Amino acid sequence: MPKKNPIRPLGFRVLLKEVEAESESGGILLPDDAKDSGDLLRAEVLAVGDAVGSEDEKIKISVGDKVFLRGFSGDKVKLNGDEFLIAKSTDIVAVIG
């Protein structure tokens, strides 16, 4: 049974968990300077607010999606020893895969 998320984002916000880039052949390759500069973060969507994906919003994001989002966006939150990121869905620039 999946672990329930302790945080429920509101409105157009999403709950994310930052993930390390996978080393695999194929996929999207970023130059080393882009990885180090903080321009993009790679994260997994853990939960979405009730307005995400509504008719008012053109962005369609689902729980489990792996995404790139703008670096320095959102708010980092620590809860029960885990670190999460709460960001606006519009800060997500691409879905991976």
Side-chain angles (χ1 to χ4, degrees):
M1 180 176 199
K3 182 176 156 184
K4 186 176 185 252
N5 291 314
I7 301 170
R8 184 173 51 95
L10 301 176
F12 293 103
R13 289 177 174 73
V14 293
L15 178 66
L16 302 157
K17 180 89 172 164
E18 193 172 345
V19 295
E20 295 294 322
E22 299 170 2
S23 58
E24 59 185 49
S25 61
I28 298 173
L29 297 177
L30 295 175
D32 288 337
D33 58 344
K35 293 176 193 173
D36 295 337
S37 68
D39 289 340
L40 294 175
L41 295 176
R42 184 181 179 128
E44 181 176 355
V45 178
L46 300 180
V48 296
D50 55 352
V52 174
S54 68
E55 291 181 19
D56 296 334
E57 187 177 48
K58 304 279 188 261
I59 297 171
K60 305 296 183 207
I61 300 164
S62 301
V63 172
D65 283 349
K66 292 199 172 40
V67 298
F68 283 120
L69 68 150
R70 292 183 185 113
F72 309 112
S73 60
D75 298 302
K76 290 192 177 190
V77 178
K78 284 189 177 185
L79 184 65
N80 301 329
D82 291 321
E83 189 170 308
F84 301 97
L85 181 66
I86 300 173
K88 293 179 184 175
S89 59
T90 54
D91 289 334
I92 295 173
V93 297
V95 176
I96 302 167

